[in-house]
Amino acid sequence: MPTVPLMGSIRLMFVLATIGAAAVTPQTRTGDPAPPFRLLDTHGRPVALDGYRGAVVFLTFGATWCGGCQQEAPQLVDLEHKYADKPVHFFHVLVGENSVQAVDFKKHYRSEAGYLLDTNYKVAKSYEAMSWPMYVIVDAEGNLAGRWQGLTKKKDRAAIVDALEGALKGAKGGPPKGAFCTADTCVAPSTADVQETQPTLRADAAGRVHLVYVRERGATGELYHRIHDAGKWSEPQRITKTAADHYAPALCDDRQGGLWLVWCSNEAASGKYDVWAQHFDSQKWSSAQAVTTCDDDAAHPRAAVDSAGRLWVTYYRWIPWSTGLSRDREVFVRRHDGTNWTDEIQLSPKDVPIHEDHTDPSIVADGRGNVWVAWVWDTHPQRNWPYPATFGQTMFARSIDARGELGPLEMVAVRAPSAKAAMQNPSWVFAPELVCRDDQPWFLAAGHTLGDGGAGTEHAAYVTYRKGAGEYPAPRRLGGDFTLVCTPRFVEDRGGHLAALWSAPTGDHHVVKLARLGDDGQWGDEQTAWTEPGAELRFPVGAFDAKGTLVLAATKITAGKNEIAVTTVTK
């Protein structure tokens, strides 16, 4: 496969990072105090720069979709290994993204660095992160010891090592490697620590609600299952029985009283992350079967069963370039006919440069034997562009019929028509969710917009639907300011009533918000469906049981400890 110029990705990195930078006057010269920050990692643990005095801190600013960040990630992992026994703390500051994307990226590159979420761009602006990736070294006294922007050359990489070695001469030890520290507290890592994350819920035909989630110990995740029946929850039962890392579970109804579960695991002998599937027949789990056998990793699986009872699984897969560089992601689907899997079908277009990034697919079956898949495409229109001219992370969708024939590619949501418009007022779409109503797909996604000149960052849940061929009404905003740390989810009862869930900040903690679609076709105002004072509720999911009670689950974060919490909403 030929390599292609990287200018499209580099240009977008520059556009996004420069917005509003002129309004900020940070101290970014070598020798000056490094701008302070306090961010949360992917488990909601606070990390503050001033908690690492005495040690050296290496910061990387970027995003998972940033081509240069993908390109240079392997050499950063090499740097982590080189200084594994030295007092250097590595952190990736992901700008404008959530922990779902961060976890996929970290696992793919086998990074041991801490991943921090700069969802509102404030830290990136304070460091004048004008192009990505950007590298910053902070010495043991909290001063800037070096700063590099954009793709590095051999001499830059040598200068980075020299700066690290120089900074280490003044290091006095500092906190232990892997610790999560602020000025007041410092939590050292422990293999005994258990974190529960990534809940998924689905009701079966009998109205029992099934919960599957990840229980992590260190870098290894296991899948657990609980059932809500007659108002009571069963004890957790472990699904996965191997020592491999399992994550990203997603459930779907099999239309015959059971459920399908798909997830990612590096169980294969190659150590690559593949997509796996397992069936639950209302009593027990079947043996797991591999959906993919990748020469590189697969991620973000989602599943749906069509009207004929066939299982469809979509996911994105990293595609190595001819040079061995792992920085292209494409979206695929496979179908299981009861015995065999069909050949893999690529959904993302093949007639665009390979640096175009396609991620976060979601899938739904309509009532006509077809399925619809939507995903996020980080577009960079060029001369003779064969698709709608949009710039940046935009939602696209297409249908697949029972024969595996692809429908035309349709643009669902667009924010910025050009690079110039992106600089003025960009809005990006993340992690779409689908549901089918009247044989047409409906789309729910997170989106964020930087105000004019970067004056402020707004985050919200947006919903739209397919009105006809290529026709989508302007997305309806359901809620705002949920800091882009969760993916909004649809929930539909047995009577066809639709609602949307998401997490939003209220005071000093996050709560679960809900908006309902009325019988008149209008979305109601957002309501607070669930709150836990003193705790954060993130990544909520919901399903209705046999009595019409809304069952909710979410990741509850208390002092950096993640556990799966559940509740019910009867009205």
Side-chain angles (χ1 to χ4, degrees), residues 40-45 99 195-197 216 218 557 560-562:
L40 299 181
D41 82 330
T42 55
H43 285 117
R45 294 172 292 207
S99 63
Q195 302 280 5
E196 296 179 342
T197 63
E216 294 180 355
I557 305 174
K561 174 70 174 179
N562 288 231

Side-chain angles (χ1 to χ4, degrees), residues 420-440:
K420 181 178 180 180
M423 292 185 70
Q424 297 298 322
N425 194 18
S427 182
W428 314 112
V429 180
F430 294 89
E433 174 89 353
L434 275 75
V435 71
C436 187
R437 297 173 62 82
D438 300 324
D439 291 337
Q440 293 287 7

